[in-house]
């Protein structure tokens, strides 16, 4: 044991002349280096330097499928709820500061029923009679939306969007089943009410512009999106004061195709 102590003292005494030969500047550097190493390993307030994000332009392509519900709101027409499915192929142009612009092409099919009641013209009964409308809607749509995406944890992101959408109607078929007596049917025909199957686009504009707000969550390649569209333009062609707008909400699932 004593031999080990003597050996350690001998090594320390041998190193002292070497350290004494260093200049004051070199000694200061050695001391500063030791302090820096101590701070590096033991300073609890030290913050890691964040790497500066470098922007690279890219485009993300996605396929989207979801549920859609629309409502046609009018003063002169009962307000049917139309339920259906929507498909879309979109392209997101990524911009700096977590922003992106999305556009693409979508298609939708919706269906809904509504009953239109009339006072019976039959003197033998006082009950109300009605027309049952089954509406099938087919359309294409082109969105232009601004997205903002914020990272939450690892590959989990949250995003919000806002922007307009143009819809072009392909067909809006109204399948009518009448529950009318003969006097009521004749009276409605005289009043110009359509009681047979027809395409509604002669009485409606095919183009429809809405403004949408929404958001969702993103994990890796997958997105869950929900939003609401506010109809902006009047859809009725009639020259009277009545107007009709279509509002709707949707929820969809999107998958990024490219890397």
């Amino acid at each position: 044991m004593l031999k080990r102590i003597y050996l350690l003292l001998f090594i320390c005494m041998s190193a002292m002349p070497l350290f004494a030969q260093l200049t004051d500047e070199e000694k200061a550097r050695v001391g500063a280096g030791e302090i820096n190493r101590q701070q590096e390993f033991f300073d609890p307030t030290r913050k890691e330097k964040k790497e500066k994000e470098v922007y690279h332009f890219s485009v993300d392509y996605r396929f989207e499928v979801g549920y859609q519900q629309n409502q046609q709101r009018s003063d002169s027409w009962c307000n049917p709820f139309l339920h259906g499915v929507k498909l879309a192929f979109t392209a997101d142009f990524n911009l700096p500061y977590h922003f992106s612009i999305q556009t693409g092409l979508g298609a939708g099919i919706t269906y809904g029923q509504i009953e239109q009641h009339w006072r019976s013209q039959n003197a033998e009964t006082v009950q109300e009679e009605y027309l049952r409308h089954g509406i099938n809607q087919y359309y294409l749509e082109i969105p232009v939306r601004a997205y903002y995406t914020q990272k939450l944890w690892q590959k989990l992101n949250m995003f919000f969007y806002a922007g307009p959408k143009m819809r072009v109607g392909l067909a809006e078929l109204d399948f009518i089943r009448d529950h009318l007596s003969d006097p009521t049917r004749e009276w409605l025909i005289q009043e110009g009410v359509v009681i047979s199957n027809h395409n509604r686009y002669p009485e409606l504009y095919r183009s429809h512009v809405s403004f949408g707000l929404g958001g969702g969550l993103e994990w890796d390649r997958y997105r869950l999106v929900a939003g609401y569209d506010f109809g902006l333009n009047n859809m009725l062609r009639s020259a009277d004061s009545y107007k009709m707008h279509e509002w709707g909400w949707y929820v969809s699932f999107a998958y990024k195709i490219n890397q």
Side-chain angles (χ1 to χ4, degrees), residues 118 192 210:
W118 305 91
S210 61

Side-chain angles (χ1 to χ4, degrees), residues 72-132:
Q72 296 177 341
R73 302 184 176 186
S74 173
D75 298 331
S76 63
W77 171 252
C78 38
N79 303 322
F81 285 95
L82 306 177
H83 311 267
V85 63
K86 61 173 291 181
L87 304 173
F89 178 78
T90 62
D92 292 72
F93 299 89
N94 298 313
L95 304 176
Y97 305 109
H98 308 285
F99 285 97
S100 61
I101 298 296
Q102 183 189 84
T103 186
L105 179 64
I109 301 174
T110 59
Y111 173 78
Q113 283 190 352
I114 195 71
E115 291 184 357
Q116 193 175 17
H117 292 258
W118 305 91
R119 180 186 298 178
S120 175
Q121 301 297 308
N122 190 347
E124 299 178 357
T125 179
V126 295
Q127 69 179 1
E128 286 189 346
E129 303 178 22
Y130 63 91
L131 297 172
R132 177 171 294 168

